Amino acid sequence: MRMRATARGWTAVWLVVLALAQTALFLILWRVAVHTEIGQWVDTVALTGNRIGQARIDGPVDRILNAMSVVSLLAATATIGFIALIRGRIALAITATLLIAGANVTTQLLKHGLSRPDYGLDPERVFVGNSLPSGHTTVAASVAVALMLVLPPKVRAVGVFLATAYAAAAGVATLSAGWHRPSDAVAAYLVVGVWAALAGIVLLITQREQAEVAPGDAHRLAALLLGVAGVLALIVCGLALSWLVELRGTGPGELSRRPLFVGYAGSAAGIAGTMAVVMALILTVVHRLVPRVKG
């Protein structure tokens, strides 16, 4: 079925709204998590709570994080580009590469350019400065989204769940290892989400008029399952953090095991839920951005 101009226009509108909404959410997250005392307190509680049971997960966490390097990122980018090229999609290969590069460069610029006031809530990391967004999480999420774009429709549904799980695990791993605050990982997903929307607009612009979209490639069930799972995880996060903020008068280092675990587990749920929702929103339009018959 050839995509009509009206459908193409609505897809473009959806992508623009997606990019603007995620940009707005990023700014709100930055202001609340970094520039308010309550935001920094919640982040610090979650980061302090990672010590609970840390010895049991040190091995898997280290393997996930140590696998991310400049070399592995280049290898993953080359692999993704190769998949697009063997499918005869030159524009897709270039766009997927730009998505990965753009997201990671943006994260590094933001990390070094944004300020972080010191409210005396996290003296152990006061000299680290701003750590938002997370570079490791951006690497994992950008590769995951780019892979979803280039995969053939027949395996995209399976690939999207594996890619989402990988990116979510990477975000939680940065928290578990004590490398990043939960807001850092969530911010990274939003950066990648914005670049994914921009990449979608580029693909839509470069798409040929003869391109035909197969309705069966929409993977609506996969997108629904991802979206529902993500929203449920975010609800769990919201409930956990709403209970936690009632203790905000207590220093993170003075809290008992229970609130520390609630802060850590709730934040981990929020990290995973954010990635699932971002991926679900992108998945809803991938079949129109990368049609089965390119024309």
Side-chain angles (χ1 to χ4, degrees):
M1 180 181 69
R2 188 169 297 173
M3 188 164 65
R4 297 178 180 178
T6 303
R8 189 187 298 268
W10 279 114
T11 302
V13 169
W14 168 250
L15 292 171
V16 171
V17 169
L18 195 57
L20 293 176
Q22 290 179 110
T23 300
L25 288 173
F26 177 92
L27 294 173
I28 293 171
L29 176 68
W30 172 61
R31 291 296 301 178
V32 173
V34 178
H35 285 268
T36 67
E37 290 191 29
I38 184 63
Q40 287 198 15
W41 182 84
V42 170
D43 261 354
T44 305
V45 170
L47 200 52
T48 305
N50 78 328
R51 300 168 185 170
I52 300 175
Q54 189 176 32
R56 300 179 182 179
I57 60 174
D58 265 348
V61 166
D62 287 343
R63 283 192 289 273
I64 292 174
L65 296 177
N66 290 334
M68 298 178 199
S69 64
V70 174
V71 174
S72 62
L73 177 60
L74 292 175
T77 304
T79 302
I80 288 170
F82 178 72
I83 293 173
L85 290 176
I86 62 176
R87 294 183 61 200
R89 309 294 180 105
I90 298 176
L92 178 59
I94 296 173
T95 304
T97 301
L98 290 176
L99 187 162
I100 295 173
N104 284 278
V105 170
T106 299
T107 283
Q108 294 304 317
L109 291 175
L110 289 171
K111 183 182 295 187
H112 292 93
L114 297 178
S115 61
R116 180 182 179 86
D118 176 24
Y119 296 126
L121 297 168
D122 193 6
E124 292 183 16
R125 304 171 186 85
V126 66
F127 298 109
V128 175
N130 178 60
S131 58
L132 180 149
S134 163
H136 281 75
T137 306
T138 301
V139 169
S142 60
V143 168
V145 172
L147 180 63
M148 179 187 65
L149 288 177
V150 304
L151 283 177
K154 290 183 178 180
V155 297
R156 185 177 293 145
V158 175
V160 73
F161 283 105
L162 295 176
T164 302
Y166 165 70
V172 174
T174 62
L175 172 63
S176 300
W179 289 12
H180 278 284
R181 305 169 177 93
S183 60
D184 299 347
V186 173
Y189 295 142
L190 295 175
V191 169
V192 173
V194 171
W195 272 95
L198 296 176
I201 294 173
V202 172
L203 289 173
L204 206 60
I205 293 173
T206 59
Q207 192 177 109
R208 298 178 182 177
E209 291 295 332
Q210 297 84 0
E212 296 181 7
V213 177
D217 293 343
H219 298 300
R220 292 186 178 88
L221 180 58
L224 178 63
L225 290 175
L226 269 179
V228 170
V231 170
L232 289 176
L234 290 174
I235 290 174
V236 170
C237 174
L239 292 174
L241 297 186
S242 63
W243 175 83
L244 186 66
V245 295
E246 296 180 1
L247 306 173
R248 59 184 177 273
T250 307
E254 301 172 1
L255 291 171
S256 63
R257 183 184 180 91
R258 182 184 178 188
L260 289 176
F261 178 76
V262 169
Y264 168 74
S267 296
I271 291 171
T274 301
M275 184 62 215
V277 170
V278 168
M279 191 70 95
L281 292 173
I282 301 168
L283 182 60
T284 58
V285 292
V286 169
H287 66 294
R288 292 183 176 178
L289 306 177
V290 190
R292 183 183 292 263
V293 180
K294 64 177 183 177

